[in-house]
């Protein structure tokens, strides 16, 4: 069943956005095509267990949440030597042909209702281009959301034998907006031959915000696409982090961490498609729930028929600090090639009472003991984060949450 197009969204709305940004005809047509697709598009799949639909995206009221003509943000972009980092408006002037070629090549705008909505309405985003043989580490994108709704689109292109580390931070800026908000973030990574992309993201949006993100990478021959995804904010987060290993000997790692409290709801998904030979993937996610928070996780490792000599590993662990929190996990292996080494696991549990007793018996208060165990629980994830700034920021956010 498709979702109804918001009453305040029409072709006239799309034309007004395109004209205000002086966009080329091909992008305007892409927006209009995405708008039309919304009439038949479905919401993303969600996990269902007997008698339970964990995340009901159909309940999102876009008539209230979407305000397409009043989007506002403050985005700071910091580049490194040899790397081009531009807003989409600037990129349309300086790299029109490359933008037209690559936009929508990794994420089909018509993937689902939410991607079509985002492509039709996006007004902010970033274009990152790393030329051949350039190595960059200090690219940052910091976005403050200042409106009821904000739709963002980021495109990363790395040429042969280049590398880049990108740090993205998403937060709430103007806090005077009353009621619910909606933030959409699509990220496409086109990783050329023998290139390396590390994309780290941390969102700390306020708890009136519905946060939806789809980040997908296309890894070429000998290319690596690594993701680090930290979620602490929002009322509801739907996070999909995906890599298509389309080149021989390509690799991907997806590292996720989340900490939900009060009535937050996190729907976290990690997926890898092994489409070529000699590919490797490692999916690592850890999350903590407190109060009445809920989480659901799906991890998928899909090994294709031609993906000879595949190595694919997945592990997800959720720690519940409250009897009223809820969690479910669904790790999946889809193997169509017998020349595969793969494993998957998921656990959901509470703080170990013996560990807690051991610490409290040594004059440590129960609250401090619990906090120490939570920090220790995240260590295996922190150890996978090679970027010092992101790791330290995430550790600081976890400690702050524990003190609340």
């Amino acid at each position: 069943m498709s979702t109804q197009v918001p009453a305040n969204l029409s072709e006239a709305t799309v034309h007004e956005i395109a004209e205000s940004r002086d966009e080329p005809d091909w992008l305007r047509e892409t927006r209009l095509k995405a708008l039309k697709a919304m009439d038949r598009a479905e919401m993303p799949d969600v996990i269902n267990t007997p008698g339970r639909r964990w995340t009901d995206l159909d309940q999102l009221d876009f008539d209230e949440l979407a305000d397409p003509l009043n989007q506002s943000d403050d985005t700071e972009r910091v580049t490194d030597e040899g790397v081009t980092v531009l807003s989409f408006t600037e990129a349309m002037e300086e790299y029109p042909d490359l933008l037209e070629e690559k936009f929508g090549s990794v994420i089909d705008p018509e993937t689902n209702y939410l991607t079509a909505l985002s492509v039709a309405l996006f007004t902010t985003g970033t274009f990152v281009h790393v030329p051949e043989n350039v190595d960059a580490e200090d690219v940052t994108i910091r976005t403050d959301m200042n409106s009821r709704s904000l739709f963002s689109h980021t495109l990363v292109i790395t040429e042969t034998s280049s590398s880049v580390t990108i740090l993205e931070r998403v937060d709430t800026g103007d806090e005077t907006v009353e009621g619910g908000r909606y933030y959409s973030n699509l990220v496409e990574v086109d990783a050329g031959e023998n290139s390396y992309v590390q994309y780290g993201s941390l969102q700390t949006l306020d708890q009136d915000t519905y946060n939806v993100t789809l980040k997908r990478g296309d890894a070429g021959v000998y290319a690596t696409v690594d993701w680090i995804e930290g979620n602490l904010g929002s009322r509801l987060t739907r996070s999909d982090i995906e890599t298509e290993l389309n080149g021989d000997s390509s690799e991907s790692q997806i590292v996720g961490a989340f900490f939900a409290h009060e009535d937050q709801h996190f729907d976290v998904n990690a997926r890898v498609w092994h489409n070529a030979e000699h590919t490797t993937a490692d999916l690592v996610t850890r999350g903590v729930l407190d109060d009445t928070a809920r989480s659901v996780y799906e991890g998928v490792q899909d090994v294709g028929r031609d993906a000879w000599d595949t190595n694919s590993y997945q592990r997800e662990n959720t720690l519940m600090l409250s009897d009223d929190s809820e969690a479910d996990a669904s790790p999946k292996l889809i193997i169509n090639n017998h020349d595969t080494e793969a494993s998957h696991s998921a656990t959901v549990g509470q703080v170990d009472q013996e560990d807690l007793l051991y610490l409290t018996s040594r004059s440590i208060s129960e609250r401090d003991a619990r906090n120490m165990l939570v920090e220790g629980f995240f260590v295996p994830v922190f150890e996978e984060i090679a970027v010092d700034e992101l790791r330290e920021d995430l550790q600081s956010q976890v400690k702050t949450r524990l003190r609340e």
Side-chain angles (χ1 to χ4, degrees):
M1 175 179 172
S2 60
T3 302
Q4 185 176 1
V5 177
N8 60 345
L9 177 55
S10 65
E11 288 191 6
T13 308
V14 172
H15 282 300
E16 187 168 344
I17 291 173
E19 289 171 4
S20 68
R21 294 159 55 84
D22 194 24
E23 292 181 349
D25 291 342
W26 69 264
L27 184 52
R28 185 191 299 252
E29 290 303 316
T30 300
R31 290 183 182 274
L32 291 171
K33 187 178 178 182
L35 174 66
K36 186 176 181 180
M38 291 171 60
D39 287 325
R40 62 180 185 278
E42 304 290 339
M43 283 290 181
D45 290 337
V46 297
I47 290 180
N48 294 304
T49 52
R52 180 73 177 275
R53 184 176 176 84
W54 278 82
T55 307
D56 193 353
L57 297 173
D58 291 317
Q59 295 301 309
L60 293 174
D61 186 355
F62 289 107
D63 286 327
E64 292 292 330
L65 293 173
D67 188 7
L69 298 180
N70 293 293
Q71 299 182 59
S72 176
D73 68 285
D74 289 323
T75 299
E76 177 188 8
R77 301 174 180 89
V78 178
T79 187
D80 198 359
E81 184 177 356
V83 182
T84 299
V85 180
L86 301 171
S87 68
F88 254 78
T89 303
E90 295 169 326
M92 283 185 288
E93 295 180 0
E94 299 188 29
Y95 292 85
D97 294 338
L98 186 58
L99 194 62
E100 182 177 1
E101 177 189 355
K102 296 296 187 179
F103 184 89
S105 64
V106 181
I107 297 178
D108 182 350
E110 299 179 29
T111 298
N112 56 55
Y113 181 91
L114 298 179
T115 58
L117 176 69
S118 196
V119 170
L121 298 182
F122 82 94
T123 60
T124 190
T126 301
F127 172 84
V128 179
H129 178 241
V130 189
E132 185 175 346
N133 296 321
V134 170
D135 296 321
E137 295 182 355
D138 300 320
V139 175
T140 59
I141 305 168
R142 301 181 186 275
T143 299
D144 285 341
M145 178 183 181
N146 296 326
S147 50
R148 181 169 304 283
S149 60
L150 185 64
F151 298 86
S152 176
H153 201 112
T154 295
L155 175 61
V156 180
I157 302 167
T158 55
E159 305 291 353
T160 302
S161 299
S162 65
S163 69
V164 65
T165 295
I166 300 169
L167 301 184
E168 174 191 71
R169 178 70 184 266
V170 181
D171 202 352
T172 301
D174 184 357
E175 298 182 354
T176 62
V177 178
E178 296 182 357
R181 300 191 189 204
Y182 182 83
Y183 179 72
S184 174
N185 187 21
L186 301 185
V187 177
E188 301 183 87
V189 173
D190 185 301
E193 182 178 348
N194 196 41
S195 67
Y196 172 77
V197 178
Q198 182 170 229
Y199 197 105
S201 182
L202 176 62
Q203 70 85 7
T204 53
L205 293 160
D206 70 28
Q207 288 185 221
D208 288 325
T209 303
Y210 296 89
N211 172 52
V212 175
T213 183
L214 169 58
K215 300 181 174 76
R216 180 180 292 166
D218 179 342
V221 175
Y222 291 109
T224 299
V225 178
D226 289 345
W227 304 97
I228 305 166
E229 182 81 356
N231 285 295
L232 285 97
S234 81
R235 178 175 180 179
L236 178 150
T237 282
R238 167 67 186 224
S239 171
D240 294 277
I241 312 299
E242 305 175 346
T243 305
E244 295 186 23
L245 297 171
N246 293 320
D248 288 353
S249 302
S250 56
E251 300 181 4
S252 183
Q253 182 182 51
I254 301 175
V255 177
F258 63 86
F259 193 163
H261 69 162
E262 298 180 355
D263 64 346
Q264 289 181 287
H265 183 115
F266 288 166
D267 187 325
V268 178
N269 306 276
R271 303 183 185 91
V272 173
W273 289 269
H274 295 265
N275 298 325
E277 298 181 3
H278 316 298
T279 56
T280 301
D282 189 19
L283 284 57
V284 184
T285 300
R286 288 207 166 198
V288 172
L289 304 176
D290 203 354
D291 305 317
T292 60
R294 298 165 303 282
S295 75
V296 58
Y297 167 86
E298 182 180 62
V300 178
Q301 302 146 274
D302 191 320
V303 181
R305 292 186 182 278
D306 297 323
W308 300 97
D309 186 27
T310 289
N311 293 276
S312 192
Y313 311 101
Q314 176 187 176
R315 51 205 184 278
E316 193 275 342
N317 308 96
T318 304
L319 180 65
M320 296 186 294
L321 305 181
S322 164
D323 291 337
D324 297 318
S325 59
E326 298 179 277
D328 194 22
S330 178
K332 297 177 181 177
L333 281 173
I334 303 171
I335 300 178
N336 298 295
N337 188 303
H338 63 80
D339 188 15
T340 297
E341 181 177 311
S343 64
H344 68 307
S345 66
T347 65
V348 176
Q350 296 183 321
V351 171
D352 189 292
Q353 293 302 306
E354 289 187 6
D355 291 342
L356 195 61
L357 177 61
Y358 176 84
L359 292 171
T360 55
S361 68
R362 278 148 179 79
S363 302
I364 299 173
S365 70
E366 184 172 345
R367 180 182 178 84
D368 288 343
R370 190 197 70 161
N371 290 353
M372 290 172 63
L373 292 173
V374 171
E375 290 183 47
F377 175 78
F378 275 118
V379 165
V381 168
F382 292 152
E383 290 178 342
E384 298 287 346
I385 302 175
V387 184
D388 293 342
E389 180 180 349
L390 182 58
R391 182 179 61 253
E392 292 168 2
D393 199 359
L394 188 54
Q395 287 176 315
S396 176
Q397 291 289 333
V398 168
K399 290 180 180 179
T400 300
R401 175 65 55 86
L402 290 170
R403 291 196 298 267
E404 292 177 351

